[in-house]
């Protein structure tokens, strides 16, 4: 978090862990009751802190919920991928972001946040801002991967990042609607295929095995265009 007084619990030893536990509680309570139905008292009771402490650091429920969403978008890349190539890091982000089972409560929280944002302009602006930041970061990793020769040189990194963002969120919704293990396995396979198409520069194949001419990967415009 950028702030340490309002919107965070500070940087003293142990506080980061307590903040993570508190925000995890926000995910659970909101995923169960929705933003409108969740109360500060419910969150405080489950997190085993006082409502006064939460109010001091976050101000009100809306700012607490916004901090919870922001924290999720700021999750670091897994440690075992820090020194890996740009494409490996992008894959680590995408698979961890979408398919890791403990993310279930966050995604239910995310959907409740999205619905509430349709009625609350401030929530909507906050979510839109962090979604754009996420797409921008994914686009940077794609640019780095292009420079490293891992992705085709004519790939449009901004459009590809946006497509990946839309695709991964679609996979998330599918897993919520179909939570059985085979659905998660299928979504993992679809994401693997998406990355394979990015790497090879080939569009998806139709049922007859031919290339789907209507689905192409985002390309950079040529200078002559």
């Amino acid at each position: 978090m950028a702030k340490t007084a309002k919107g965070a619990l500070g940087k003293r030893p142990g506080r980061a862990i307590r903040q993570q536990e508190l925000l995890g509680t926000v995910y659970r309570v909101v995923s169960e009751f929705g933003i409108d139905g969740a109360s500060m008292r419910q969150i405080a009771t489950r997190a085993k802190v006082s409502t006064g402490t939460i109010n001091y650091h976050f101000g009100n429920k809306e700012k607490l919920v916004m901090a919870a969403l922001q924290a999720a978008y700021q999750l670091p890349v897994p440690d075992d991928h820090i020194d890996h190539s740009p494409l490996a890091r992008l894959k680590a982000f995408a698979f961890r972001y979408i398919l890791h089972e403990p993310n279930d409560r966050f995604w239910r929280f995310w959907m409740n946040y999205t619905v509430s944002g349709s009625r609350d302009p401030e929530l909507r602006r906050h979510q839109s801002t962090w979604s754009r930041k996420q797409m921008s970061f994914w686009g940077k990793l794609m640019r780095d991967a292009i420079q490293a020769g891992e992705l085709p040189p004519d790939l449009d990194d901004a459009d590809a990042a946006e497509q990946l963002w839309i695709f991964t969120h679609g996979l998330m919704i599918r897993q919520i609607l179909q939570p059985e293990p085979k659905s998660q396995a299928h979504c993992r396979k679809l994401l693997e295929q998406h990355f394979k198409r990015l790497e090879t520069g080939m569009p998806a194949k139709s049922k007859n095995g031919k290339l789907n001419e209507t689905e192409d990967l985002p390309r950079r415009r040529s200078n002559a265009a």
Side-chain angles (χ1 to χ4, degrees):
M1 295 290 180
K3 298 181 179 179
T4 58
K6 296 293 184 178
L9 298 183
K11 295 183 178 179
R12 293 182 182 177
R15 286 196 175 184
I17 295 176
R18 289 198 295 275
Q19 178 179 327
Q20 186 176 8
E21 292 172 348
L22 172 60
L23 297 181
T25 301
V26 175
Y27 300 149
R28 289 192 293 274
V29 173
V30 171
S31 70
E32 292 177 26
F33 301 101
I35 291 179
D36 293 337
S39 70
M40 292 287 269
R41 184 171 298 279
Q42 285 174 313
I43 295 170
T45 299
R46 292 203 188 185
K48 298 181 180 179
V49 298
S50 68
T51 55
T53 297
I54 298 178
N55 283 323
Y56 173 77
H57 290 288
F58 296 95
N60 56 43
K61 184 177 74 173
E62 184 176 70
K63 287 185 172 59
L64 173 62
V65 168
M66 291 168 66
L69 181 80
Q70 180 174 333
Y73 280 117
Q74 292 178 312
L75 285 175
V77 70
D79 291 339
D80 57 343
H81 289 85
I82 289 178
D83 297 326
H84 286 204
S85 70
L87 183 59
R89 295 182 67 212
L90 179 61
K91 288 180 179 181
F93 270 113
F95 282 97
R96 182 172 182 259
Y97 183 65
I98 295 299
L99 298 174
H100 196 33
E101 218 169 351
N103 282 353
D104 177 66
R105 286 194 182 96
F106 166 72
W107 283 121
R108 295 178 188 278
F109 162 85
W110 184 89
M111 294 187 73
N112 276 284
Y113 191 110
T114 302
V115 171
S116 294
S118 68
R119 303 187 297 269
D120 186 319
E122 186 174 3
L123 290 179
R124 182 170 64 251
R125 284 193 296 270
H126 185 73
Q127 186 175 33
S128 178
T129 294
W130 282 96
S131 295
R132 289 195 300 270
K133 287 184 177 181
Q134 184 181 50
M135 279 187 278
S136 177
F137 179 64
W138 287 9
K140 179 185 182 303
L141 288 177
M142 285 192 176
R143 288 194 300 276
D144 292 344
I146 291 170
Q147 293 177 358
E150 297 180 298
L151 292 175
D154 61 343
L155 184 71
D156 187 310
D157 51 88
D159 283 353
E162 182 177 12
Q163 287 188 13
L164 178 62
W165 189 92
I166 293 170
F167 186 68
T168 51
H169 283 72
L171 295 181
M172 171 272 293
I173 293 173
R174 176 182 176 131
Q175 290 175 91
I176 290 178
L177 295 176
Q178 301 176 14
E180 60 272 13
K182 66 178 181 180
S183 178
Q184 182 175 355
H186 182 64
C187 288
R188 175 178 289 277
K189 179 180 178 181
L190 291 176
L191 189 53
E192 288 172 349
Q193 291 174 346
H194 184 84
F195 273 110
K196 189 66 175 178
R197 291 197 296 273
L198 283 176
E199 292 176 67
T200 60
M202 297 295 290
K205 291 184 178 180
S206 60
K207 290 183 178 179
N208 61 12
K210 296 182 179 180
L211 294 180
N212 187 347
E213 300 296 337
T214 63
E215 180 185 352
D216 199 3
L217 294 173
R219 308 290 184 183
R220 293 184 183 276
R221 293 182 179 179
S222 64
N223 293 332

